[in-house]
Amino acid sequence: MSYRISVSNQKGGVGKTTICLHLSVALAKRDRKVLIVDLDPSAYLSAHLGLDDYYYDENKNSLAYNLVEGPQSNPEDVILGTEEGVDVIPSNYDMRGVEDRLSAERNREMRLKMFLDNVDEGYDYTMIDSPPSLGVLYDNAILACQRVVIPIKDEDMSIVSIHRALDEIDELEKAFGTSIEILAIVPNLVRPDGVAASTLERLRNTDGLKEYLTPFEIRQRVAIRRSMKNRTTLYKHKASCDQVENFMKLADLVISKCEGGSKNGE
Ligand SMILES: Nc1ncnc2c1ncn2[C@@H]1O[C@H](COP(=O)(O)OP(=O)(O)O)[C@@H](O)[C@H]1O
Ligand SMILES: [Mg+2]
């Protein structure tokens, strides 16, 4: 059974795709077998992994088809390998219509879970890159995983906005009678002239937040933006960048929270 983790935040541009990709590859560097699911109709993560052509393919085995029609495909027909050491189920053009097509369907929030139950057995981690808005796909991501990592952007770093992100998860827990574990809230795009170190420290010592906020932050670095633009990862683009260490720390934190220190909790 795979540990499923959704990288979620209803806001765009906070670094969901960047963190999903770099955390996934970091987990692979720790010898975990990782599958990424690109649930964002804009398919940025798929594009970053070089899967542009796949985007417009008419494909019976697309993620969209499996979400709308219910699980149809075998793992080998939907999962693609990549040069980054992780496998991926890409997004494609048809994902744009999925929210509308699911709107009147039964079990519409559970479609991703039903699909993944069929395909991710052989993976240690399944990582979901979540879309940037609340809706059926967002709900599907959270409910398939029941574990989340929440990136928060430098300028949103306040008690109010962190609580807003936590409240969304709370509401889903109540609505679906389920329990969702917040593995980490990750400050991202932290700038030297942005959120003050003292503010971050204060948030890290605030009851109700301190158990979630990571003791490290991902800083804003041109190399991270360039690596994404160049369709690769920071590990390949600039392995000497100081933020590589923080992505590895995030992977180690996720591993210790999920596995309790040993692979697959053994
Ligand atoms: N730590 C960072 N340093 C520099 N640029 C970053 C960092 N994190 C994300 N970015 C850039 O910010 C933009 C938005 O990030 P992205 O991961 O696409 O956010 P989201 O998926 O939440 O919309 C992208 O251009 C990405 O390359
Ligand atoms: Mg994204």
Side-chain angles (χ1 to χ4, degrees):
M1 168 87 187
S2 185
Y3 297 107
R4 294 182 189 150
I5 301 170
S6 173
V7 181
S8 290
N9 184 324
Q10 63 155 319
K11 287 187 88 169
V14 298
K16 289 183 293 298
T17 300
T18 306
I19 287 181
C20 185
L21 179 61
H22 285 85
L23 171 56
S24 298
V25 176
L27 288 166
K29 287 181 186 296
R30 292 286 190 246
D31 293 328
R32 291 343 189 243
K33 195 161 187 252
V34 182
L35 173 66
I36 308 181
V37 182
D38 185 357
L39 201 65
D40 185 348
S42 52
Y44 289 134
L45 188 136
S46 305
H48 287 313
L49 289 168
L51 298 167
D52 305 65
D53 288 346
Y54 184 93
Y55 189 66
Y56 290 106
D57 268 0
E58 291 263 327
N59 193 333
K60 272 271 170 197
N61 290 306
S62 68
L63 177 57
Y65 182 76
N66 279 274
L67 293 176
V68 172
E69 301 296 333
Q72 302 286 326
S73 305
N74 297 317
E76 60 273 20
D77 296 325
V78 273
I79 296 174
L80 305 181
T82 74
E83 288 175 5
E84 302 291 342
V86 293
D87 291 345
V88 63
I89 298 179
S91 183
N92 75 330
Y93 190 78
D94 294 338
M95 283 293 287
R96 284 164 193 271
V98 167
E99 293 230 340
D100 282 348
R101 293 184 66 188
L102 281 181
S103 63
E105 297 285 333
R106 284 183 60 225
N107 298 331
R108 59 182 174 274
E109 296 89 1
M110 301 308 288
R111 296 299 174 102
L112 181 62
K113 181 182 185 311
M114 288 156 59
F115 168 61
L116 287 179
D117 286 347
N118 263 4
V119 298
D120 73 352
E121 181 103 37
Y123 290 86
D124 296 316
Y125 288 88
T126 302
M127 306 294 303
I128 318 261
D129 186 22
S130 200
S133 57
L134 296 178
V136 178
L137 287 176
Y138 177 95
D139 294 352
N140 264 277
I142 305 269
L143 295 173
C145 295
Q146 305 190 316
R147 286 187 174 90
V148 285
V149 166
I150 305 176
I152 303 254
K153 204 174 168 177
D154 185 304
E155 52 254 47
D156 297 332
M157 211 69 66
S158 69
I159 292 190
V160 174
S161 60
I162 295 177
H163 274 296
R164 197 172 296 139
L166 294 176
D167 287 347
E168 278 162 30
I169 307 284
D170 227 34
E171 276 173 30
L172 279 178
E173 281 184 315
K174 287 198 189 106
F176 293 97
T178 178
S179 148
I180 295 158
E181 184 185 1
I182 295 157
L183 292 178
I185 296 176
V186 189
N188 184 34
L189 283 152
V190 175
R191 305 184 311 257
D193 60 343
V195 60
S198 57
T199 306
L200 261 178
E201 267 328 289
R202 190 166 48 80
L203 292 172
R204 288 194 176 112
N205 287 312
T206 303
D207 281 337
L209 301 185
K210 63 180 168 209
E211 53 272 55
Y212 306 127
L213 267 174
T214 52
F216 50 86
E217 59 267 1
I218 309 288
R219 304 202 152 258
Q220 180 169 54
R221 292 287 180 267
V222 173
I224 295 179
R225 189 177 297 274
R226 286 218 179 109
S227 75
M228 295 298 279
K229 227 175 154 193
N230 293 345
R231 310 264 156 123
T232 179
T233 57
L234 186 61
Y235 313 109
K236 283 189 180 162
H237 177 73
K238 193 177 178 193
S240 62
C241 176
D242 58 356
Q243 298 310 297
V244 165
E245 188 190 344
N246 289 330
F247 285 122
M248 296 311 297
K249 280 187 190 165
L250 182 58
D252 290 337
L253 184 150
V254 163
I255 287 171
S256 79
K257 288 213 173 179
C258 290
E259 302 175 24
S262 61
K263 198 172 173 185
N264 290 335
E266 285 155 17

